[in-house]
Amino acid sequence: MTSAPQTSPPGRTDDELAQSDIPAMLRYGLSFTGPHRTALFGDGAVGAAVLLDRLGVQPRAVAFLAKVVRGGGVRYAAELREPVPGDEAVSLVRAWLESAATAADGLDGDEQAARWLEAVAELLSLRHIHRSRAAGK
């Protein structure tokens, strides 16, 4: 019995990833394992990094927010006046945190949300590094 060859899905552009429904991905990815969690930590994290990069948010701000979530919980972080710098970024990240707060179940949910934010921060950092190397800095 031979199975059909497995091919990778075609790549998605930054614009396509930025249009992802991050709040829905957080709700499902934090509530369920398997493909929902994979999508959250894959396309969801990349899409979030693209959006935050376009708003000028620094990776350290997202990494710090991950520490806040780990220390106080995602519900606490969602109530912060300014979870990241910048008015537009605040609105965006607050929507993500509020969505995550509906799905994060106790310490395990908070930990998954913190890990996701760390992944976003790392991807954001990689985008900055790539851009500076491409510019020859």
Side-chain angles (χ1 to χ4, degrees), residues 21-131:
D21 187 348
I22 306 292
M25 293 177 94
L26 280 160
R27 281 191 307 276
Y28 288 102
L30 295 176
S31 298
F32 305 105
T33 58
H36 294 292
R37 181 87 35 93
T38 300
L40 174 62
F41 277 84
D43 288 353
V46 175
V50 168
L51 289 168
L52 293 176
D53 189 29
R54 289 176 177 177
L55 295 174
V57 175
Q58 295 296 311
R60 66 181 172 266
V62 182
F64 181 75
L65 182 58
K67 290 180 182 181
V68 171
V69 167
R70 188 169 278 120
V74 72
R75 291 183 202 311
Y76 171 79
E79 295 174 2
L80 293 174
R81 187 175 62 81
E82 191 175 29
V84 293
D87 292 339
E88 195 174 347
V90 165
S91 296
L92 185 66
V93 171
R94 181 168 288 122
W96 297 347
L97 293 170
E98 288 171 351
S99 183
T102 66
D105 188 26
L107 292 176
D108 288 338
D110 290 338
E111 179 62 24
Q112 288 300 318
R115 287 181 183 181
W116 180 76
L117 286 165
E118 288 171 340
V120 172
E122 188 63 31
L123 291 164
L124 190 54
S125 179
L126 290 171
R127 290 178 65 82
H128 287 204
I129 290 168
H130 175 73
R131 189 169 37 251

